[in-house]
């Protein structure tokens, strides 16, 4: 060509691995991750979740070995989910002092106090019907459920949780929990609200891990319609006004537009939840040799940060930490 000044040479900044790293706009580190853990009642049990290869349910006496690996990999935060033996209509196991998450929280703080404990605050793993609140007339009673959720949050804070993460999607849950925490003296405990939580088909493997499948109906009357975008902003704005310190968007991969919308329209940290179905699809394809797991996972998590996520809840946290440490 006679006149090469007529076009831009963008490839100059892609000429080598070092050059690409130098100008890379979005980077992943272990500081970005919150790793979910499923705590099982019983003794000496470590069960791999069949639909989530590499993810385990562990009993309290096996928790320390899991925590050591997490700590040694440089992962700084975990999210605790309880899998109790006994369930009832009210989800009593969620808020009693000797609940499985409360016991696990105390255990974490005793052996690795520097690990941040994010306590999932919901009733679904503890109710006999599998829904996230009290049932009246075959429906989830929003307002009657709020006091139990507040009670759960306070009990988790009392056990030593660093962050309360309510996932129930009841209207008003942030303000009720904030008031309850403040009245109990936990004014400095932040709320990581599942502000934007869609009624998604991507949750299937999680319900195996947490034993939380609804025994009737579904959760579409309280979780959001996947077709809706503006509703996500209304939910996010409400939770910030009620006192949320972080906002979770769940799921992440099919909702990156929502992650960006929430980031652009709020001024609190945004958390993307890379959910179980997103994890299991990749693991299944990798086990069949159909994809390069490492490259695909890194691309996927990078897309979540690029979309605006400040933090990522992901079951890939340990895998990615190992890959990063290899570098």
């Amino acid at each position: 060509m006679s006149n090469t000044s007529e076009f831009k040479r963008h490839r100059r900044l892609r000429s080598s691995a070092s050059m690409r790293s130098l100008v890379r706009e979005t980077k992943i580190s272990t500081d970005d991750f919150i790793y979910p853990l499923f705590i099982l009642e019983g003794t000496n049990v470590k069960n791999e979740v069949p639909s989530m290869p590499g993810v385990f349910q562990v009993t309290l006496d096996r928790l320390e070995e899991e925590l050591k690996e997490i700590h040694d990999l440089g992962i700084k935060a975990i999210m605790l989910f309880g899998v109790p033996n006994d369930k009832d209509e009210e989800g009593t196991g969620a808020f009693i002092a000797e609940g499985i998450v409360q016991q696990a929280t105390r255990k974490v703080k005793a052996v690795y106090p520097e690990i941040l404990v994010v306590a999932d605050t919901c009733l679904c793993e503890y109710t006999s019907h599998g829904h996230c609140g009290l049932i009246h007339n075959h429906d989830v009673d929003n307002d009657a459920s709020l006091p139990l959720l507040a009670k759960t949050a306070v009990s988790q804070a009392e056990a030593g949780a660093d962050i309360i993460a309510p996932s129930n999607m009841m209207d008003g849950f942030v303000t009720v929990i904030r008031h309850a925490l403040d009245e109990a003296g936990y004014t400095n405990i932040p709320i990581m609200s599942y502000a934007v939580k869609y009624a998604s088909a991507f949750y299937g493997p999680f319900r195996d891990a947490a034993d939380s499948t609804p025994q009737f109906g579904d959760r579409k009357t309280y979780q959001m319609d996947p077709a809706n975008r503006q509703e996500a902003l209304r939910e996010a704005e409400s939770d910030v006004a009620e006192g949320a310190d972080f906002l979770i968007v769940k799921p992440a991969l099919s909702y990156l537009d929502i992650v960006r919308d929430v980031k652009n329209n709020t001024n609190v940290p945004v958390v993307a939840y890379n959910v179980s179905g997103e994890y299991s699809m990749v693991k299944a394809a990798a086990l069949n040799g159909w994809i390069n797991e490492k490259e695909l996972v890194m691309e996927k998590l990078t897309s979540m940060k690029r979309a605006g996520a400040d933090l990522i809840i992901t079951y890939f946290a340990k895998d990615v930490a190992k890959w990063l440490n290899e570098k």
Side-chain angles (χ1 to χ4, degrees), residues 152-184:
T152 300
V154 171
S155 75
Q156 293 169 337
E158 288 174 345
D162 298 286
I163 300 172
I164 299 301
S167 60
N168 50 86
M169 286 299 285
M170 298 295 110
D171 292 334
F173 69 89
V174 173
T175 191
V176 169
I177 288 173
R178 183 71 270 161
H179 288 155
L181 289 171
D182 290 350
E183 289 174 4

Side-chain angles (χ1 to χ4, degrees), residues 32-36 75 77-79 118 192 271 311-314 317:
D32 300 323
F33 298 144
I34 300 170
Y35 183 64
I75 298 166
I78 58 175
M79 178 172 274
V118 183
M192 181 182 286
V271 185
L311 300 168
I312 303 171
I313 303 168
T314 179

Side-chain angles (χ1 to χ4, degrees), residues 63-73 112 115:
L63 178 57
E64 188 169 348
E65 62 189 77
E66 188 80 10
L67 293 172
K68 184 181 187 307
E69 181 184 18
I70 290 165
H71 176 268
D72 291 350
L73 287 170
Y112 289 103
I115 293 179

Side-chain angles (χ1 to χ4, degrees), residues 271-290:
V271 185
Y273 198 142
N274 177 209
V275 299
S276 60
E278 298 166 358
Y279 173 88
S280 295
M281 289 190 299
V282 172
K283 284 293 184 181
L287 288 170
N288 279 283
W290 296 337

Side-chain angles (χ1 to χ4, degrees), residues 96-321:
I96 57 175
E98 293 305 311
I100 188 62
V101 163
Q102 287 78 358
Q103 292 184 64
T105 300
R106 291 192 289 268
K107 177 83 169 181
V108 176
K109 289 302 173 184
V111 294
Y112 289 103
E114 65 274 28
I115 293 179
L116 289 173
V117 173
V118 183
D120 178 77
T121 306
C122 197
L123 304 179
C124 61
E125 295 110 298
Y126 307 92
T127 54
S128 52
H129 45 74
H131 279 283
C132 302
L134 294 177
I135 301 297
H136 289 157
N137 298 322
H138 219 62
D139 190 22
V140 177
D141 188 323
N142 190 95
D143 293 9
S145 302
L146 294 176
L148 296 184
L149 295 166
K151 193 174 180 180
T152 300
V154 171
S155 75
Q156 293 169 337
E158 288 174 345
D162 298 286
I163 300 172
I164 299 301
S167 60
N168 50 86
M169 286 299 285
M170 298 295 110
D171 292 334
F173 69 89
V174 173
T175 191
V176 169
I177 288 173
R178 183 71 270 161
H179 288 155
L181 289 171
D182 290 350
E183 289 174 4
Y186 298 107
T187 54
N188 290 326
I189 297 293
I191 294 175
M192 181 182 286
S193 170
Y194 285 72
V196 181
K197 183 176 180 180
Y198 286 90
S200 173
F202 284 101
Y203 302 154
F206 172 90
R207 292 173 182 171
D208 292 340
D211 189 23
S212 61
T213 303
Q215 298 305 297
F216 67 89
D218 53 41
R219 295 180 175 140
K220 293 180 180 179
T221 64
Y222 46 103
Q223 294 178 1
M224 289 173 52
D225 185 338
N228 291 355
R229 183 176 182 180
Q230 293 300 317
E231 184 183 6
L233 294 180
R234 296 197 297 271
E235 288 279 3
E237 289 166 1
S238 293
D239 284 10
V240 171
E242 292 175 17
D245 302 283
F246 305 78
L247 299 175
I248 298 175
V249 176
K250 180 182 180 182
L253 190 59
S254 292
Y255 298 85
L256 296 181
D257 58 326
I258 308 301
V259 173
R260 173 48 59 185
D261 284 346
V262 172
K263 182 65 174 177
N264 286 348
N265 287 277
T266 64
N267 60 1
V268 299
V270 176
V271 185
Y273 198 142
N274 177 209
V275 299
S276 60
E278 298 166 358
Y279 173 88
S280 295
M281 289 190 299
V282 172
K283 284 293 184 181
L287 288 170
N288 279 283
W290 296 337
I291 60 168
N292 181 316
E293 181 182 3
K294 177 181 176 180
E295 290 187 2
L296 191 150
V297 170
M298 294 303 293
E299 181 178 344
K300 181 170 73 165
L301 297 181
T302 299
S303 77
M304 294 171 194
K305 281 207 72 179
R306 190 185 64 239
D310 299 286
L311 300 168
I312 303 171
I313 303 168
T314 179
Y315 305 97
F316 285 113
K318 291 198 295 185
D319 291 336
V320 176

